[in-house]
Amino acid sequence: MSVQKVNSIIDASKSYEYVDNGSPKQGGVKDVYFSPDKKYVVAFYRDKKPEPTPIQKQQQKERIVKIVSTYLKNIKSGNVPDYFLDEIFRWPTDVVEKNNQLGIVVPIYLNKFFFAKGYKGNDMIKGGEKVGKWFTSPSFRNNQYPLSLDKSELGDWLSYFQIGINISRGVKKMHQMGLAHSDLSYNNVLVDPVTKSASIIDIDGLVVPGLFPPDVIGTADFIAPEVLSTKHLNISDPNRKLPSQKTDLHALAVLIYMYLLRRHPLRGGKIWDLDAEKDEVMAMGEKAVFVEHPTDNVNRVKVDHLKKWDVFWGDPKKIPFTVTGPYLSELFKRAFIDGLHNPMLRPIANEWETALLKTVDLIQPCHNPNCDEKWYVFDNTSKPKCPFCGTPHKGSLPVLDLYCKTKNDVWKPENHRLMVYHNQYLFKWHVSRNVIRNEGLTNNDKKPVGYFTFYQNKWVLVNQSLTGMKDLTEQKEIPINSMVELTHGKKILLSNEEGGRLIYVTMVN
């Protein structure tokens, strides 16, 4: 075992140390060595077969240098750089070279992205990386499965909404900079359901449109249909489709679907060819059909083919995609029906972020303390129940629709509602259209301004800090530190400032 030193090719004054024990950790295309203090890794690219041409080698070098200089600077000088560089990306920070081998320096993954326990009653993967794949399969969360994950690693259903929000924000940022990931998949995203975190990795393969072609076509399950169905064509053929921002959007939709529904949207029961390789290319490429397509039944899941630990989540009839609520259901239709073979129609990352955030406002806690998922999306019926364990909602349920004022002083519904539960909070982004709920929120913006509670058999909203709050039904001010009862048909003005909203109360059950 020896400590090696290597110099930056961008800044000659910088050098890095790594420990070489003769058997580096091997990724898909890189050999990875840890620094002595375990704060970063140095990852060298393995020689490819066939050997790249001098032009290809130069292109790769230029691309990586650009990613760790120009694009890293863009993030550092942009909005909330710490959020993106500490939480959302493991962005390479430097490029090194040794014995003609190119390498990159990448900060080590945060502690939360390594398993604390791993499998239930078996520490075989303890300390291993929490790649997203562990959390998209129903097997690993089924107690009867011999290698199920320890419950303490799994989080609850709400965890995966925040994971989806973080991934969407990462993709949105890359696309805003003109980049495409090219290989977005559950292998290149680390997740921690306990802290509701996600981090996009393998950033060094980014596609810079018009400048550097992609290295790979992607990972099975996440390759867009147009890429698979044209992969037989020569790379210079104008009809050949290569990874791009549009193919990232297919992969993003698949990831969100798999995190929330724990099955693949295109892997149904249809066999297109007896040759397994041809069948795969057809099923995920030109013949791809959404397993929950409302009018095309050709690719329905064959339930009797499912493994016994996959039956619950694997059967769309038991848990259809509509359990994700109206906003996400609409985007899943656009991604897997309209946009499946028409990339221009795919929802963009910002739309996924908005839909996930609005859906979080529709979430209700399950009344069953033993429910694995703990939360579900309100289904807009008069008798809501948890779709995962079947437990009905007990008692009355206030539903708050948000209204905003138009230029001619008319209140219009915003297609956004907030579900109430005991100790649910009201935030500034609910109160005013001027506060946008995104990664740029300040700590002050994140503080609750009110809360809902069930008090003396009544639902009430307690005003913690809003100065212009008013009960319009009773024509009464609602001062700070006072409360207002939520009753059917009640209208409450949250703010009298420009952009301020009104809530309209509907009592369910």
Side-chain angles (χ1 to χ4, degrees):
M1 187 180 294
S2 63
V3 174
Q4 303 285 324
K5 195 171 179 182
V6 67
N7 292 323
S8 163
I9 65 169
I10 296 174
D11 180 348
S13 68
K14 283 186 180 169
S15 64
Y16 301 90
E17 291 185 331
Y18 64 91
V19 178
D20 185 358
N21 63 359
S23 60
K25 189 174 178 336
Q26 289 205 314
V29 294
K30 298 186 285 284
D31 293 335
V32 180
Y33 300 89
F34 290 86
S35 68
D37 61 4
K38 294 271 177 83
K39 286 198 172 156
Y40 59 85
V41 297
V42 180
F44 289 103
Y45 291 90
R46 282 197 298 280
D47 292 331
K48 282 184 181 173
K49 302 280 187 280
E51 170 124 6
T53 64
I55 289 176
Q56 286 171 326
K57 276 188 169 176
Q58 185 57 31
Q59 272 190 334
Q60 185 193 29
K61 194 175 195 172
E62 280 178 30
R63 166 166 64 187
I64 295 163
V65 167
K66 195 147 182 137
I67 286 166
V68 304
S69 53
T70 308
Y71 292 110
L72 182 56
K73 275 185 198 143
N74 280 358
I75 295 179
K76 283 181 175 173
S77 62
N79 197 18
V80 287
D82 294 350
Y83 170 76
F84 286 110
L85 293 175
D86 296 345
E87 282 289 324
I88 300 301
F89 299 122
R90 285 289 94 176
W91 203 278
T93 55
D94 212 339
V95 185
V96 295
E97 202 163 19
K98 188 166 190 178
N99 304 332
N100 252 348
Q101 266 196 310
L102 207 57
I104 51 170
V105 179
V106 188
I108 204 90
Y109 303 146
L110 297 175
N111 245 350
K112 60 188 172 184
F113 294 119
F114 296 96
F115 281 112
K117 287 190 175 173
Y119 294 136
K120 184 183 58 148
N122 165 350
D123 60 6
M124 195 158 56
I125 57 164
K126 186 178 175 180
E129 292 161 14
K130 294 184 187 176
V131 290
K133 193 170 187 175
W134 291 107
F135 305 98
T136 54
S137 160
S139 300
F140 294 122
R141 58 184 61 242
N142 187 320
N143 273 332
Q144 276 113 41
Y145 186 58
L147 294 177
S148 65
L149 291 173
D150 193 89
K151 260 195 168 163
S152 64
E153 303 276 18
L154 292 172
D156 52 43
W157 206 44
L158 191 52
S159 307
Y160 297 91
F161 283 86
Q162 188 57 51
I163 283 168
I165 290 163
N166 287 334
I167 298 168
S168 302
R169 285 175 177 166
V171 173
K172 176 180 76 174
K173 184 71 175 175
M174 287 188 288
H175 289 186
Q176 281 170 346
M177 292 195 294
L179 301 167
H181 188 282
S182 83
D183 190 15
L184 194 62
S185 78
Y186 49 33
N187 292 333
N188 290 332
V189 178
L190 300 177
V191 306
D192 176 34
V194 181
T195 58
K196 305 178 172 58
S197 309
S199 185
I200 299 171
I201 60 174
D202 279 358
I203 301 287
D204 53 298
L206 289 174
V207 176
V208 185
L211 198 53
F212 307 116
D215 277 345
V216 292
I217 66 164
T219 300
D221 275 351
F222 298 91
I223 303 170
E226 67 273 15
V227 173
L228 262 188
S229 56
T230 61
K231 79 182 180 93
H232 62 285
L233 300 174
N234 190 291
I235 199 130
S236 58
D237 189 315
N239 294 315
R240 172 84 187 262
K241 296 289 185 274
L242 293 169
S244 65
Q245 291 188 353
K246 292 285 182 284
T247 67
D248 278 357
L249 295 177
H250 172 75
L252 176 62
V254 174
L255 269 175
I256 292 168
Y257 183 94
M258 291 188 80
Y259 281 125
L260 294 178
L261 297 162
R262 295 159 195 161
R263 57 176 180 261
H264 194 281
L266 306 179
R267 291 204 180 275
K270 176 65 178 168
I271 293 168
W272 296 99
D273 198 290
L274 293 175
D275 178 310
E277 200 175 318
K278 283 183 188 165
D279 180 62
E280 173 73 5
V281 171
M282 291 168 83
M284 296 283 138
E286 65 173 310
K287 298 285 191 186
V289 178
F290 184 29
V291 296
E292 298 187 73
H293 197 296
T295 55
D296 188 344
N297 295 334
V298 70
N299 198 28
R300 288 284 184 263
V301 171
K302 290 191 165 72
V303 182
D304 51 348
H305 290 189
L306 294 172
K307 300 185 193 104
K308 64 179 180 181
W309 13 77
D310 293 357
V311 169
F312 183 70
W313 285 99
D315 180 3
K317 284 202 181 86
K318 284 194 168 73
I319 304 288
F321 75 101
T322 48
V323 301
T324 61
Y327 311 119
L328 288 169
S329 293
E330 186 54 38
L331 292 194
F332 285 137
K333 284 183 203 159
R334 281 174 51 199
F336 302 131
I337 299 173
D338 311 337
L340 189 60
H341 298 286
N342 187 344
M344 296 302 290
L345 299 180
R346 288 172 191 157
I348 60 171
N350 190 44
E351 291 179 275
W352 285 109
E353 179 191 352
T354 302
L356 285 158
L357 287 166
K358 283 170 78 172
T359 304
V360 167
D361 280 343
L362 293 181
I363 288 265
Q364 273 289 301
C366 178
H367 284 294
N368 172 8
N370 299 315
C371 178
D372 285 335
E373 301 309 324
K374 302 278 184 277
W375 301 88
Y376 63 93
V377 175
F378 173 62
D379 61 4
N380 208 22
T381 66
S382 58
K383 293 192 174 166
K385 66 175 183 179
C386 173
F388 309 117
C389 69
T391 305
H393 177 85
K394 296 186 188 86
S396 60
L397 177 60
V399 179
L400 312 181
D401 284 294
L402 301 183
Y403 283 71
C404 64
K405 204 180 250 189
T406 60
K407 282 178 182 160
N408 47 6
D409 275 2
V410 176
W411 288 100
K412 279 191 133 175
E414 284 199 283
N415 186 27
H416 185 176
R417 42 170 55 159
L418 180 63
M419 301 302 301
V420 172
Y421 51 85
H422 186 55
N423 291 340
Q424 154 81 311
Y425 287 117
L426 183 73
F427 290 97
K428 282 186 181 173
W429 58 78
H430 297 127
V431 171
S432 171
R433 296 184 74 185
N434 301 330
V435 180
I436 310 297
R437 189 180 180 184
N438 61 19
E439 66 277 4
L441 285 172
T442 65
N443 284 335
N444 196 36
D445 288 338
K446 291 177 189 172
K447 286 179 186 163
V449 292
Y451 65 91
F452 303 92
T453 187
F454 196 61
Y455 176 71
Q456 294 181 344
N457 279 332
K458 291 173 186 164
W459 284 106
V460 294
L461 165 59
V462 178
N463 179 7
Q464 288 176 286
S465 60
L466 296 172
T467 49
M469 197 169 174
K470 187 176 181 183
D471 179 342
L472 294 184
T473 308
E474 303 279 333
Q475 286 300 313
K476 281 183 187 165
E477 302 292 327
I478 306 162
I480 292 172
N481 294 328
S482 71
M483 64 174 90
V484 57
E485 186 185 348
L486 302 178
T487 54
H488 191 69
K490 171 124 353 190
K491 293 175 190 154
I492 300 167
L493 182 67
L494 297 176
S495 165
N496 54 15
E497 292 174 11
E498 191 171 337
R501 290 196 176 96
L502 173 152
I503 52 177
Y504 180 82
V505 183
T506 305
M507 299 301 288
V508 173
N509 224 15

